[in-house]
Amino acid sequence: MTAIRPVRKAVFPVAGLGTRLLPATKTMPKEMLTVVDRPLIQYAVDEARDAGIEQLIFVTGRGKSSLVDYFDLGFELEATMEKAGKSRAALDGSRTTPGELISVRQQQPLGLGHAVWCARHVVGDEPFAVILPDDLMVGGLGVGGALRQMVEAYNQVGGNIVCAAEVPADKTASYGIVDPGETRGNLTEVRGMVEKPRPGDAPSRLAIIGRYILQPAVMDILDAKETGAGGEIQLTDAMARLIGRQPFHAVKVDAVRHDCGDKAGFVLANLAIAMDNPELGPIIEEYLASR
Ligand code: G1P
């Protein structure tokens, strides 16, 4: 068996328009909307760093430069705060070192597969993670974030890994759905996958959540720019072509997913994170109890 190569790079597809969150996203990228005390994108970056990722690759679009600015060193801000004797601790996670963050543009909204393909030159010939910041993963206390749990699984089995969770039977058309093989612990062999099947056509209720560890061969498949569900270049279709050629597993992680691309999911993510916060938790609970 060939050696399992470490996952050092993570691709963040962040070019989307966020239409489900309008009007909030009219001039503000959805990834910059605040969840409790930091923008949504910072949770994704924190999770990547927790998993040992060294290279952050943002696939952005027009009007989304604030995502890259956010992770710069706020030089004037920091100098002013230092002069005033103010703590800069709150800024810690929002800084990158030079070269840690690279951004590329997805010039047209042609689908998730296309967004990932836009990062091909930066990914190069090594395995990489993909994190969809909309899927905010909360929990996993003491076991690390969702991506770290996936990297641990990857270090055992190599190949390709998707994060997965059971969804209600009537929700399969919102997800990539796995055709599951044998399950051992939290790992399930993937025999096939299909993007957004109608409930009657779905091979299972095991849905792909927005975390992936992929081998670079997926980029060669994406090169063909074949379109699938919704007329888009789908990552799920490209991944499906790797099955049988390389190991492919779905892993269930110890964390709860909140879909922050949706208003209800966004509010629930705020609630879940605030309730885990020792300062805010009791205030929210008291408020909820009073309702
Ligand atoms: C994307 C993927 C889908 C996956 C989902 C997870 O869909 O195409 O396979 O299940 O993310 O959030 P989207 O939500 O972008 O339509």
Side-chain angles (χ1 to χ4, degrees):
M1 191 176 140
T2 49
I4 294 173
R5 293 189 292 169
V7 186
R8 301 185 311 117
K9 300 182 177 183
V11 175
F12 302 76
V14 289
L17 295 175
T19 49
R20 283 188 292 161
L21 294 178
L22 283 169
T25 48
K26 188 174 171 191
T27 58
M28 169 91 111
K30 68 176 164 188
E31 298 84 1
M32 287 304 294
L33 297 178
T34 312
V35 177
V36 181
D37 63 354
R38 65 201 62 201
L40 182 55
I41 187 67
Q42 194 177 328
Y43 291 91
V45 165
D46 287 348
E47 189 185 317
R49 285 170 164 159
D50 166 71
I53 296 295
E54 296 163 13
Q55 176 81 77
L56 312 168
I57 307 166
F58 284 12
V59 182
T60 68
R62 281 175 296 283
K64 303 205 86 170
S65 310
S66 58
L67 283 162
V68 176
D69 287 341
Y70 177 79
F71 286 100
D72 196 359
L73 171 74
F75 181 74
E76 297 83 351
L77 174 66
E78 297 217 12
T80 308
M81 288 176 83
E82 187 173 14
K83 229 168 150 189
K86 289 188 181 147
S87 165
R88 289 169 291 159
L91 294 168
D92 282 353
S94 68
R95 284 186 216 97
T96 49
T97 52
E100 185 186 354
L101 171 61
I102 293 183
S103 77
V104 296
R105 291 278 186 129
Q106 183 185 23
Q107 295 170 321
Q108 291 170 274
L110 300 180
L112 178 59
H114 177 256
V116 169
W117 174 84
C118 290
R120 69 201 178 286
H121 294 306
V122 190
V123 165
D125 186 31
E126 56 178 294
F128 62 103
V130 178
I131 297 188
L132 309 189
D134 276 11
D135 282 342
L136 177 49
M137 302 297 281
V138 179
L141 275 184
V143 288
L147 189 64
R148 191 196 315 179
Q149 296 175 51
M150 290 174 66
V151 166
E152 278 163 12
Y154 170 80
N155 289 337
Q156 312 278 320
V157 292
N160 303 272
I161 303 213
V162 291
C163 186
E166 305 278 341
V167 295
D170 62 345
K171 292 280 186 291
T172 58
S174 302
Y175 299 92
I177 301 289
V178 166
D179 178 7
E182 209 176 298
T183 295
R184 261 185 304 128
N186 62 352
L187 271 177
T188 298
E189 202 190 320
V190 176
R191 289 199 308 214
M193 57 180 86
V194 39
E195 180 68 10
K196 305 202 167 86
R198 284 176 308 195
D201 302 330
S204 75
R205 293 194 295 110
L206 192 58
I208 301 170
I209 303 303
R211 303 287 183 276
Y212 311 76
I213 294 176
L214 299 172
Q215 296 300 318
V218 77
M219 296 295 193
D220 301 333
I221 298 170
L222 288 167
D223 264 334
K225 307 223 178 57
E226 276 172 32
T227 53
E232 297 190 339
I233 301 170
Q234 296 292 355
L235 182 60
T236 301
D237 296 343
M239 293 190 302
R241 304 266 299 274
L242 289 174
I243 298 166
R245 284 165 54 183
Q246 299 179 348
F248 216 121
H249 292 88
V251 59
K252 288 185 180 169
V253 299
D254 179 11
V256 177
R257 165 192 182 250
H258 296 282
D259 176 9
C260 288
D262 164 269
K263 284 181 192 170
F266 194 86
V267 173
L268 289 178
N270 271 279
L271 260 185
I273 290 179
M275 287 179 84
D276 283 345
N277 179 304
E279 242 173 77
L280 306 176
I283 302 170
I284 313 256
E285 274 185 39
E286 193 185 319
Y287 173 72
L288 290 179
S290 76
R291 299 263 308 181

